[in-house]
Amino acid sequence: MSKVIRFNKIPLKVIGVLTKKGENTFGQDQDDIILAPYTTVQKRIMAITWIQMIYAAAIDEKSSDTASTEISAILRTNHKLKFEEPDDFRIRTQAELISTMSSTSQLLTVLLRAIAAISLLVGGIGIMNIMYVSVTERTRETGLRMAIGARGIDILLQFLTEAILISITGGILGVVLGITAAKLVTVFLSWPTLVSESSVILSFMVCAVTGVFFRFYPAQKASRLEPIEALRHE
């Protein structure tokens, strides 16, 4: 038995269901659509008398430009446009759409990188403050070590070694959590995800370098203290 659905208040009779196609190359769902006679769409839904869009396919990719030129000539003839008159329509090829999407993707990539850089800077300043406090609280320990013969380079290497271990541990945990989150998104939301090796390596390196870089200044400052000056800090 045929079913009837309503588009606003317009009844539409379902005469068939298309086979499932999934997403196209642009990530658009090809199954979430309704096909209806163009005359019904024109008159009862959109209240227009012209066709808004026509999809056409060339024989092969090499013939795309030729087909576009021929379609333009046919439309100009049907629209009775004179030679000097501009087109009253627009033709877009697959290459143009891909180029537009690539430009948009590159712009979004630049914006995301800028946001990530600002986040790293703000987070790095926070890390530096925390590291500075941790070094300051251990000033007496630093003074005792220097009083029994520790050199400034020894103090510096101690704090930097601690920073490296903390950064590596945090980087490993971050990579594991990121990969796990990507897998969970794929399992529960059915969204395809891809974790590239370059992104894992880059994120790990950024984490390690950030931790060491923002601890270097407080560690260097602690290594330059005089033993008596360090011992005075309670």
Side-chain angles (χ1 to χ4, degrees), residues 24-42:
N24 60 14
T25 54
F26 298 102
Q28 298 174 336
D29 189 359
Q30 300 181 91
D31 302 320
D32 190 19
I33 60 173
I34 297 175
L35 302 180
Y38 75 93
T39 51
T40 302
V41 175
Q42 284 179 318

Side-chain angles (χ1 to χ4, degrees), residues 113-184:
R113 286 178 178 175
I115 294 173
I118 295 173
S119 301
L120 287 174
L121 178 61
V122 175
I125 294 174
I127 292 173
M128 183 175 65
N129 291 332
I130 295 173
M131 294 296 186
Y132 183 78
V133 172
S134 67
V135 171
T136 303
E137 290 179 348
R138 297 169 61 183
T139 305
R140 185 173 179 81
E141 173 194 337
T142 303
L144 288 173
R145 293 192 63 205
M146 297 180 72
I148 60 176
R151 299 170 299 172
I153 187 65
D154 299 324
I155 303 300
L156 180 61
L157 289 176
Q158 175 192 355
F159 286 115
L160 289 181
T161 301
E162 293 175 358
I164 292 172
L165 292 176
I166 294 173
S167 300
I168 291 177
T169 304
I172 294 174
L173 289 175
V175 169
V176 172
L177 290 175
I179 295 176
T180 303
K183 297 298 183 182
L184 292 176

Side-chain angles (χ1 to χ4, degrees), residues 7-229:
F7 183 88
N8 290 334
K9 297 181 180 180
I10 304 172
L12 299 174
K13 183 179 179 181
V14 179
I15 61 174
V17 179
L18 299 174
T19 57
K20 186 176 181 180
K21 292 184 178 180
E23 295 181 349
N24 60 14
T25 54
F26 298 102
Q28 298 174 336
D29 189 359
Q30 300 181 91
D31 302 320
D32 190 19
I33 60 173
I34 297 175
L35 302 180
Y38 75 93
T39 51
T40 302
V41 175
Q42 284 179 318
K43 296 178 181 179
R44 304 199 60 185
I45 297 178
M46 306 191 69
I48 59 177
T49 58
W50 62 89
I51 298 177
Q52 286 190 316
M53 186 179 298
I54 299 175
Y55 288 95
I59 299 176
D60 50 39
E61 185 177 354
K62 297 180 180 179
S63 305
S64 178
D65 293 337
T66 303
S68 177
T69 303
E70 293 177 355
I71 292 172
S72 177
I74 293 172
L75 289 176
R76 287 187 62 87
T77 302
N78 290 340
H79 293 185
K80 299 179 180 179
L81 296 176
K82 296 180 180 179
F83 179 78
E84 66 276 4
E85 291 181 335
D87 295 339
D88 58 357
F89 53 86
R90 181 180 298 175
I91 298 177
R92 291 182 178 178
T93 62
Q94 197 80 356
E96 292 177 354
L97 294 176
I98 294 175
S99 176
T100 302
M101 293 195 66
S102 298
S103 300
T104 304
S105 177
Q106 291 176 359
L107 178 60
L108 291 176
T109 301
V110 172
L111 292 176
L112 289 175
R113 286 178 178 175
I115 294 173
I118 295 173
S119 301
L120 287 174
L121 178 61
V122 175
I125 294 174
I127 292 173
M128 183 175 65
N129 291 332
I130 295 173
M131 294 296 186
Y132 183 78
V133 172
S134 67
V135 171
T136 303
E137 290 179 348
R138 297 169 61 183
T139 305
R140 185 173 179 81
E141 173 194 337
T142 303
L144 288 173
R145 293 192 63 205
M146 297 180 72
I148 60 176
R151 299 170 299 172
I153 187 65
D154 299 324
I155 303 300
L156 180 61
L157 289 176
Q158 175 192 355
F159 286 115
L160 289 181
T161 301
E162 293 175 358
I164 292 172
L165 292 176
I166 294 173
S167 300
I168 291 177
T169 304
I172 294 174
L173 289 175
V175 169
V176 172
L177 290 175
I179 295 176
T180 303
K183 297 298 183 182
L184 292 176
V185 167
T186 302
V187 172
F188 291 102
L189 299 180
S190 299
W191 293 351
T193 58
L194 175 63
V195 180
S196 61
E197 296 180 359
S198 59
S199 63
V200 172
I201 295 174
L202 179 62
S203 59
F204 182 82
M205 293 299 296
V206 168
C207 178
V209 171
T210 301
V212 175
F213 177 79
F214 285 102
R215 186 155 187 172
F216 180 79
Y217 171 72
Q220 187 181 41
K221 187 174 182 180
S223 66
R224 292 178 177 178
L225 291 174
E226 295 295 333
I228 300 298
E229 180 183 356

